[in-house]
């Protein structure tokens, strides 16, 4: 299958007065992908996205969206790229359907507002003023507004900040539906679980630079954190029985629990030793490395530091 580039960012630089916010950022988003830009607060994610949306002019490098230059071809791109509003700046009294009708009037080929409202589960709220919507409903409306122009690309920035776990999960389902309808999605987030769940590929940005671009699975597989297995042994166990195993890279004790880290068939190796010594493993848990581990391995820092 040929890969069609939809967003191409090459050596992007952006400074604010003396401060370099984005320093040499490059990545390419292909048609039909959910592509994540992840990184901590202040990493340069929003600045990068604003250059893509044509809201900021880069100081260096190049940006192409659907083959166009966002700085020069902004009017054309606004018709073809849907951007989610930050913290929704809609008037409190504007009703859901009114907001969508208003935004639909800005586009050449708008989606059907009533249909979009139904698709996004807002039918019962069509006549509710914006100020009376819950956080999750406001978020749905902001996604609907990003889609009202029937865009080819949707840019969703900090999609689930402030939402409860159920609303987050529902919003993730919506993003998957948006992609299934053929829209390429650029998702900005500092939530690793969100990136892991939704993104085909991510660019990890730290201090204005891309430190890795890959699938979430490959990024986590690349970490030396490996697998972690925790259990409470039914009898005392000499650590050397575990550390002698080629699969094991570390053993530590946390009260009566043992934590073993390693790679390969770690579980098989541990259970065969335990069986040999007739020791049972209580509360055994296998933990895979997460995107948080991947971020730590790539940057030497925890995401929330
Ligand atoms: P967050 O997740 O907090 O939104 P971010 O990764 O989106 O962060 P940016 O908002 O792009 O990061 O900011 C990158 C850096 O540039 C930060 O150090 C920020 O303080 C600085 N910055 C952003 N906008 C401006 C501005 N208009 N003027 C000066 N500095 C700015």
């Amino acid at each position: 299958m040929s890969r069609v580039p939809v967003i191409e960012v090459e050596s992007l630089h952006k400074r604010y007065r003396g401060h370099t916010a984005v320093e040499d950022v490059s990545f390419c988003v292909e048609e039909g992908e959910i592509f994540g830009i992840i990184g901590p607060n202040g990493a340069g994610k929003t600045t990068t996205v604003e250059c893509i949306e044509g809201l900021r002019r880069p100081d260096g490098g190049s940006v192409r969206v659907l083959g166009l230059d966002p700085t020069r071809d902004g009017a054309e791109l606004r018709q073809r790229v849907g951007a989610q509003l930050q913290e929704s700046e809609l008037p409190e009294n504007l009703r859901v359907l009114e907001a969508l009708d208003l935004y639909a009037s800005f586009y050449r080929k708008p989606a059907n507002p009533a249909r979009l409202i139904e698709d996004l589960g807002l039918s019962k709220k069509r006549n509710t003023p914006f100020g009376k919507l819950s956080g999750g409903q406001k978020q749905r409306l902001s996604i609907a507004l990003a889609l009202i122009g029937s865009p080819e690309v949707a840019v969703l920035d900090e999609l689930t900040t402030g939402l409860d776990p159920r609303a987050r999960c529902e919003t993730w389902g919506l993003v998957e539906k948006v992609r299934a309808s053929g829209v390429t999605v650029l998702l900005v987030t500092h939530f690793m679980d969100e990136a892991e769940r939704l993104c085909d590929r991510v660019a990890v940005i730290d201090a204005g630079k891309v430190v890795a671009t890959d699938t979430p699975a490959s990024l986590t597989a690349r970490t030396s954190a490996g697998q972690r297995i925790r259990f409470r042994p039914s009898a005392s166990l000499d650590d050397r029985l575990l550390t002698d195993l080629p699969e094991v890279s570390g053993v530590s004790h946390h009260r009566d629990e043992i934590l073993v880290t390693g790679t390969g068939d770690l579980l098989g190796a541990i259970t065969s030793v335990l069986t040999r010594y007739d020791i049972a493993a209580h509360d055994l848990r296998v933990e895979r490395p997460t995107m948080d581990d991947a971020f730590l391995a790539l940057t030497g820092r925890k995401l929330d530091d």
Side-chain angles (χ1 to χ4, degrees):
M1 225 169 65
S2 73
R3 296 179 165 176
V4 182
V6 169
I7 301 172
E8 297 157 280
V9 178
E10 253 185 69
S11 265
L12 179 68
H13 284 70
K14 179 70 193 172
R15 278 180 298 280
Y16 296 112
R17 289 181 208 100
H19 175 71
T20 300
V22 172
E23 192 179 356
D24 199 19
V25 163
S26 303
F27 58 84
C28 178
V29 181
E30 287 156 14
E31 189 174 28
E33 275 193 304
I34 300 180
F35 187 93
I37 298 185
I38 64 173
N41 290 333
K45 306 182 296 294
T46 300
T47 302
T48 300
V49 164
E50 287 176 346
C51 291
I52 290 169
E53 291 171 333
L55 299 173
R56 291 196 188 277
R57 183 184 289 271
D59 294 319
S62 78
V63 178
R64 282 275 176 281
V65 181
L66 298 163
L68 300 171
D69 174 347
T71 311
R72 211 187 47 212
D73 309 312
E76 172 66 14
L77 280 177
R78 274 190 290 282
Q79 289 290 329
R80 299 173 64 187
V81 177
Q84 195 194 5
L85 295 179
Q86 283 271 322
E87 276 293 300
S88 289
E89 301 97 6
L90 290 176
E92 298 274 296
N93 293 332
L94 192 66
R95 297 172 196 276
V96 168
L97 186 55
E98 285 171 351
L100 281 158
D101 280 337
L102 173 67
Y103 275 70
S105 70
F106 303 152
Y107 294 96
R108 286 196 298 252
K109 288 185 295 178
N112 179 324
R115 177 101 171 265
L116 204 49
I117 281 179
E118 199 179 315
D119 286 351
L120 291 177
L122 283 168
S123 295
K124 287 190 184 141
K125 299 287 164 188
R126 56 196 293 135
N127 293 317
T128 304
F130 175 71
K132 296 243 158 64
L133 297 174
S134 71
Q137 290 157 355
K138 284 182 176 167
Q139 205 66 280
R140 279 162 186 263
L141 178 57
S142 75
I143 297 173
L145 292 173
L147 299 175
I148 189 69
S150 312
E152 290 154 69
V153 183
V155 181
L156 307 174
D157 194 347
E158 298 297 355
L159 186 68
T160 61
T161 299
L163 297 188
D164 63 37
R166 194 172 136 215
R168 290 185 82 206
C169 215
E170 283 174 6
T171 308
W172 291 342
L174 289 177
V175 176
E176 279 164 345
K177 264 172 94 178
V178 170
R179 187 260 291 277
S181 72
V183 178
T184 302
V185 178
L186 180 65
L187 183 79
V188 182
T189 185
H190 63 272
F191 293 123
M192 293 297 181
D193 58 343
E194 187 162 294
E196 207 159 3
R197 155 78 199 266
L198 280 182
C199 297
D200 300 308
R201 289 188 308 134
V202 296
V204 182
I205 298 191
D206 186 34
K209 292 184 179 159
V210 174
V211 291
T213 308
D214 215 330
T215 63
S218 302
L219 285 177
T220 52
R222 272 205 240 163
T223 71
S224 55
Q227 309 162 51
R228 285 186 290 249
I229 294 181
R230 298 175 188 274
F231 60 93
R232 284 188 302 106
S234 59
S236 73
L237 171 66
D238 185 342
D239 278 0
R240 273 174 306 179
L241 295 176
L242 297 171
T243 52
D244 282 350
L245 295 168
E247 292 84 357
V248 171
S249 55
V251 175
S252 57
H253 293 257
H254 304 266
R255 294 202 205 93
D256 56 349
E257 193 174 72
I258 295 184
L259 168 64
V260 187
T261 51
T263 51
D265 184 13
L266 186 63
L267 181 62
I270 293 173
T271 44
S272 68
V273 165
L274 295 179
T275 310
R276 201 175 327 134
Y277 289 89
D278 207 16
I279 296 173
H282 297 301
D283 300 328
L284 182 134
R285 297 188 307 287
V286 180
E287 297 167 5
R288 278 189 318 116
T290 62
M291 284 288 285
D292 286 297
D293 297 317
F295 187 82
L296 179 64
L298 287 164
T299 65
R301 296 189 295 116
K302 282 192 163 172
L303 187 62
D304 49 11
D305 273 356

